[in-house]
């Protein structure tokens, strides 16, 4: 079984600043993937970034990067140069060999002027 | 990029009736599709996993006779909510996994179901 925990229900950041969203997980699988998804007000789920657990190098996608600490089972998301369009719910998720996604409870991010 | 559509985007039905939601992968073959339910301001809860040509696997606590899932082709899965009740009102989201074996799931835009 997998569990994903997001301990920050809400976060706020000013435009152009940097914010880090926290996520911890637990899994009994040796091969798994971790994801951050964004859900804007439209409610369309959008993949932000993906990390394969067997890769030590942290994934990056433009302004988005992760800090993957495998031993600590931590997978935080850093958003640099925050933009108003980054305002959304952010879900951390994990999947194992069964391909079923387990989601955290989400962090609501508000980007302000 | 991989696109998944859902139809309808919104539906209102009366108590006791059934409603069908379609999920289609538009530009790839999806051997596996997933159905989620999301209540307001909450996370996505997996309801069931459907594999093309076989019976769906339901998560614990999900009534398989109430939420009928059919995955008849590699591009289409349907969720039918039977004998709907107001407590079935929710946002239903499907996702599809590329049959090429990727780890990523591609999500549909969701369907808002309101049962009156």
């Amino acid at each position: 079984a997998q569990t994903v925990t997001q301990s920050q229900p809400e976060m706020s950041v000013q435009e152009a600043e940097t914010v880090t969203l926290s996520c911890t997980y637990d899994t009994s699988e040796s091969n798994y993937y971790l994801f951050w998804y964004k859900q804007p007000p439209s409610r369309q789920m959008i993949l932000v970034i993906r990390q394969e657990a067997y890769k030590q190098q942290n994934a990056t996608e433009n302004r988005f990067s992760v800090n993957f600490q495998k031993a600590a089972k931590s997978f935080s998301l850093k958003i640099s140069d925050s933009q108003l369009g980054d305002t959304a719910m952010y879900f951390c998720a994990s999947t194992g060999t069964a391909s079923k996604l387990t989601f955290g409870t989400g962090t609501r991010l508000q980007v302000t002027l | 990029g991989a696109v998944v559509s859902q139809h309808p985007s919104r539906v209102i039905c009366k108590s006791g009736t059934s409603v069908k939601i379609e999920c289609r992968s538009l530009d790839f073959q999806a051997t596996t599709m997933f159905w989620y339910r999301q209540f307001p301001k909450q996370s996505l809860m997996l309801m069931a996993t459907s594999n093309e040509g076989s019976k769906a696997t339901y998560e614990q606590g999900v009534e398989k006779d109430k939420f009928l899932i059919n995955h008849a082709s590699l591009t289409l899965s349907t969720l039918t909510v039977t004998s709907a009740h107001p407590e079935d009102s929710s946002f239903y989201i499907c996702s599809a996994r590329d049959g090429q074996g990727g780890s990523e799931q591609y999500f549909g835009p969701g369907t808002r179901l309101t049962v009156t």
Side-chain angles (χ1 to χ4, degrees), chain A residues 71-93:
Chain A
K73 294 184 177 178
S74 171
F75 183 61
S76 61
L77 173 70
K78 185 171 82 171
I79 306 174
S80 304
D81 186 26
S82 297
Q83 301 176 359
L84 294 177
D86 295 333
T87 293
M89 279 289 289
Y90 286 81
F91 293 101
C92 179

mmCIF file of all heavy atoms in Angstrom, chain A residues 71-93:
data_model
loop_
_atom_site.group_PDB
_atom_site.id
_atom_site.type_symbol
_atom_site.label_atom_id
_atom_site.label_comp_id
_atom_site.label_asym_id
_atom_site.label_seq_id
_atom_site.Cartn_x
_atom_site.Cartn_y
_atom_site.Cartn_z
ATOM 1 N N ALA A 71 15.726 8.339 0.952
ATOM 2 C CA ALA A 71 15.829 7.736 2.282
ATOM 3 C C ALA A 71 14.810 8.343 3.241
ATOM 4 O O ALA A 71 14.241 7.646 4.079
ATOM 5 C CB ALA A 71 17.243 7.920 2.827
ATOM 6 N N ALA A 72 14.569 9.616 3.100
ATOM 7 C CA ALA A 72 13.607 10.305 3.960
ATOM 8 C C ALA A 72 12.191 10.198 3.426
ATOM 9 O O ALA A 72 11.240 10.637 4.076
ATOM 10 C CB ALA A 72 13.995 11.763 4.106
ATOM 11 N N LYS A 73 12.025 9.639 2.233
ATOM 12 C CA LYS A 73 10.731 9.521 1.571
ATOM 13 C C LYS A 73 10.053 10.884 1.471
ATOM 14 O O LYS A 73 8.896 11.075 1.858
ATOM 15 C CB LYS A 73 9.850 8.498 2.288
ATOM 16 C CG LYS A 73 10.415 7.078 2.194
ATOM 17 C CD LYS A 73 9.515 6.032 2.806
ATOM 18 C CE LYS A 73 10.121 4.642 2.615
ATOM 19 N NZ LYS A 73 9.297 3.576 3.244
ATOM 20 N N SER A 74 10.834 11.805 0.960
ATOM 21 C CA SER A 74 10.370 13.177 0.822
ATOM 22 C C SER A 74 10.468 13.592 -0.643
ATOM 23 O O SER A 74 11.430 13.236 -1.334
ATOM 24 C CB SER A 74 11.233 14.089 1.690
ATOM 25 O OG SER A 74 10.961 15.441 1.423
ATOM 26 N N PHE A 75 9.491 14.363 -1.090
ATOM 27 C CA PHE A 75 9.426 14.736 -2.509
ATOM 28 C C PHE A 75 8.802 16.122 -2.598
ATOM 29 O O PHE A 75 7.615 16.270 -2.853
ATOM 30 C CB PHE A 75 8.576 13.690 -3.249
ATOM 31 C CG PHE A 75 8.463 13.896 -4.743
ATOM 32 C CD1 PHE A 75 9.575 13.883 -5.554
ATOM 33 C CD2 PHE A 75 7.221 14.087 -5.334
ATOM 34 C CE1 PHE A 75 9.475 14.059 -6.931
ATOM 35 C CE2 PHE A 75 7.101 14.269 -6.707
ATOM 36 C CZ PHE A 75 8.226 14.257 -7.493
ATOM 37 N N SER A 76 9.582 17.155 -2.416
ATOM 38 C CA SER A 76 9.058 18.510 -2.398
ATOM 39 C C SER A 76 9.157 19.148 -3.783
ATOM 40 O O SER A 76 10.026 18.805 -4.581
ATOM 41 C CB SER A 76 9.785 19.364 -1.363
ATOM 42 O OG SER A 76 11.153 19.455 -1.674
ATOM 43 N N LEU A 77 8.271 20.084 -4.039
ATOM 44 C CA LEU A 77 8.211 20.792 -5.310
ATOM 45 C C LEU A 77 8.602 22.246 -5.100
ATOM 46 O O LEU A 77 8.028 22.921 -4.234
ATOM 47 C CB LEU A 77 6.800 20.730 -5.894
ATOM 48 C CG LEU A 77 6.548 21.568 -7.154
ATOM 49 C CD1 LEU A 77 7.294 20.970 -8.356
ATOM 50 C CD2 LEU A 77 5.047 21.652 -7.457
ATOM 51 N N LYS A 78 9.560 22.717 -5.884
ATOM 52 C CA LYS A 78 9.964 24.120 -5.828
ATOM 53 C C LYS A 78 9.504 24.814 -7.092
ATOM 54 O O LYS A 78 9.781 24.356 -8.200
ATOM 55 C CB LYS A 78 11.471 24.258 -5.667
ATOM 56 C CG LYS A 78 11.907 25.714 -5.479
ATOM 57 C CD LYS A 78 13.375 25.837 -5.109
ATOM 58 C CE LYS A 78 14.264 25.762 -6.313
ATOM 59 N NZ LYS A 78 15.682 26.091 -5.990
ATOM 60 N N ILE A 79 8.791 25.903 -6.901
ATOM 61 C CA ILE A 79 8.344 26.731 -8.022
ATOM 62 C C ILE A 79 9.116 28.041 -7.959
ATOM 63 O O ILE A 79 9.010 28.789 -6.970
ATOM 64 C CB ILE A 79 6.823 27.001 -7.976
ATOM 65 C CG1 ILE A 79 6.047 25.683 -7.874
ATOM 66 C CG2 ILE A 79 6.378 27.790 -9.195
ATOM 67 C CD1 ILE A 79 4.538 25.862 -7.682
ATOM 68 N N SER A 80 9.887 28.289 -8.975
ATOM 69 C CA SER A 80 10.684 29.519 -9.036
ATOM 70 C C SER A 80 9.963 30.553 -9.889
ATOM 71 O O SER A 80 9.170 30.204 -10.772
ATOM 72 C CB SER A 80 12.061 29.223 -9.649
ATOM 73 O OG SER A 80 12.724 28.215 -8.925
ATOM 74 N N ASP A 81 10.252 31.839 -9.601
ATOM 75 C CA ASP A 81 9.660 32.911 -10.398
ATOM 76 C C ASP A 81 8.143 32.700 -10.540
ATOM 77 O O ASP A 81 7.606 32.624 -11.653
ATOM 78 C CB ASP A 81 10.330 32.971 -11.771
ATOM 79 C CG ASP A 81 9.878 34.145 -12.602
ATOM 80 O OD1 ASP A 81 9.452 35.164 -12.024
ATOM 81 O OD2 ASP A 81 9.921 34.042 -13.850
ATOM 82 N N SER A 82 7.463 32.593 -9.416
ATOM 83 C CA SER A 82 6.035 32.266 -9.419
ATOM 84 C C SER A 82 5.239 33.244 -10.285
ATOM 85 O O SER A 82 5.505 34.455 -10.305
ATOM 86 C CB SER A 82 5.488 32.291 -7.990
ATOM 87 O OG SER A 82 6.118 31.307 -7.198
ATOM 88 N N GLN A 83 4.272 32.694 -10.979
ATOM 89 C CA GLN A 83 3.404 33.486 -11.844
ATOM 90 C C GLN A 83 1.946 33.346 -11.403
ATOM 91 O O GLN A 83 1.584 32.352 -10.775
ATOM 92 C CB GLN A 83 3.575 33.029 -13.297
ATOM 93 C CG GLN A 83 5.002 33.154 -13.799
ATOM 94 C CD GLN A 83 5.178 32.601 -15.200
ATOM 95 O OE1 GLN A 83 4.244 32.097 -15.821
ATOM 96 N NE2 GLN A 83 6.405 32.692 -15.699
ATOM 97 N N LEU A 84 1.148 34.337 -11.757
ATOM 98 C CA LEU A 84 -0.265 34.299 -11.358
ATOM 99 C C LEU A 84 -0.945 33.019 -11.848
ATOM 100 O O LEU A 84 -1.831 32.473 -11.190
ATOM 101 C CB LEU A 84 -0.995 35.532 -11.881
ATOM 102 C CG LEU A 84 -0.552 36.871 -11.294
ATOM 103 C CD1 LEU A 84 -1.305 38.018 -11.960
ATOM 104 C CD2 LEU A 84 -0.748 36.908 -9.776
ATOM 105 N N GLY A 85 -0.521 32.541 -12.990
ATOM 106 C CA GLY A 85 -1.100 31.319 -13.547
ATOM 107 C C GLY A 85 -0.736 30.062 -12.789
ATOM 108 O O GLY A 85 -1.293 28.991 -13.061
ATOM 109 N N ASP A 86 0.174 30.192 -11.823
ATOM 110 C CA ASP A 86 0.513 29.027 -11.004
ATOM 111 C C ASP A 86 -0.508 28.815 -9.890
ATOM 112 O O ASP A 86 -0.470 27.792 -9.201
ATOM 113 C CB ASP A 86 1.905 29.212 -10.377
ATOM 114 C CG ASP A 86 3.013 29.251 -11.412
ATOM 115 O OD1 ASP A 86 2.836 28.659 -12.501
ATOM 116 O OD2 ASP A 86 4.050 29.889 -11.140
ATOM 117 N N THR A 87 -1.397 29.755 -9.703
ATOM 118 C CA THR A 87 -2.441 29.611 -8.683
ATOM 119 C C THR A 87 -3.285 28.382 -8.996
ATOM 120 O O THR A 87 -3.872 28.268 -10.071
ATOM 121 C CB THR A 87 -3.332 30.861 -8.639
ATOM 122 O OG1 THR A 87 -2.551 31.966 -8.164
ATOM 123 C CG2 THR A 87 -4.528 30.649 -7.727
ATOM 124 N N ALA A 88 -3.317 27.440 -8.052
ATOM 125 C CA ALA A 88 -4.010 26.168 -8.291
ATOM 126 C C ALA A 88 -3.878 25.291 -7.051
ATOM 127 O O ALA A 88 -3.183 25.636 -6.100
ATOM 128 C CB ALA A 88 -3.400 25.440 -9.485
ATOM 129 N N MET A 89 -4.567 24.160 -7.102
ATOM 130 C CA MET A 89 -4.323 23.085 -6.141
ATOM 131 C C MET A 89 -3.195 22.233 -6.697
ATOM 132 O O MET A 89 -3.165 21.940 -7.891
ATOM 133 C CB MET A 89 -5.570 22.211 -5.973
ATOM 134 C CG MET A 89 -6.604 22.774 -5.049
ATOM 135 S SD MET A 89 -6.111 22.753 -3.328
ATOM 136 C CE MET A 89 -6.187 21.002 -2.959
ATOM 137 N N TYR A 90 -2.288 21.847 -5.822
ATOM 138 C CA TYR A 90 -1.186 20.994 -6.226
ATOM 139 C C TYR A 90 -1.270 19.683 -5.452
ATOM 140 O O TYR A 90 -1.348 19.673 -4.220
ATOM 141 C CB TYR A 90 0.155 21.670 -5.972
ATOM 142 C CG TYR A 90 0.436 22.771 -6.964
ATOM 143 C CD1 TYR A 90 -0.125 24.037 -6.801
ATOM 144 C CD2 TYR A 90 1.235 22.541 -8.092
ATOM 145 C CE1 TYR A 90 0.104 25.038 -7.723
ATOM 146 C CE2 TYR A 90 1.464 23.543 -9.012
ATOM 147 C CZ TYR A 90 0.898 24.784 -8.835
ATOM 148 O OH TYR A 90 1.118 25.776 -9.755
ATOM 149 N N PHE A 91 -1.269 18.595 -6.206
ATOM 150 C CA PHE A 91 -1.345 17.272 -5.602
ATOM 151 C C PHE A 91 -0.056 16.516 -5.848
ATOM 152 O O PHE A 91 0.427 16.423 -6.982
ATOM 153 C CB PHE A 91 -2.510 16.466 -6.196
ATOM 154 C CG PHE A 91 -3.868 17.000 -5.851
ATOM 155 C CD1 PHE A 91 -4.588 17.759 -6.759
ATOM 156 C CD2 PHE A 91 -4.433 16.733 -4.614
ATOM 157 C CE1 PHE A 91 -5.846 18.246 -6.448
ATOM 158 C CE2 PHE A 91 -5.699 17.216 -4.294
ATOM 159 C CZ PHE A 91 -6.395 17.978 -5.205
ATOM 160 N N CYS A 92 0.467 15.952 -4.791
ATOM 161 C CA CYS A 92 1.583 15.021 -4.880
ATOM 162 C C CYS A 92 0.984 13.628 -5.022
ATOM 163 O O CYS A 92 -0.067 13.322 -4.420
ATOM 164 C CB CYS A 92 2.410 15.123 -3.602
ATOM 165 S SG CYS A 92 3.836 14.035 -3.502
ATOM 166 N N ALA A 93 1.619 12.774 -5.833
ATOM 167 C CA ALA A 93 1.066 11.441 -6.053
ATOM 168 C C ALA A 93 2.177 10.439 -6.275
ATOM 169 O O ALA A 93 3.275 10.797 -6.715
ATOM 170 C CB ALA A 93 0.117 11.446 -7.258
#
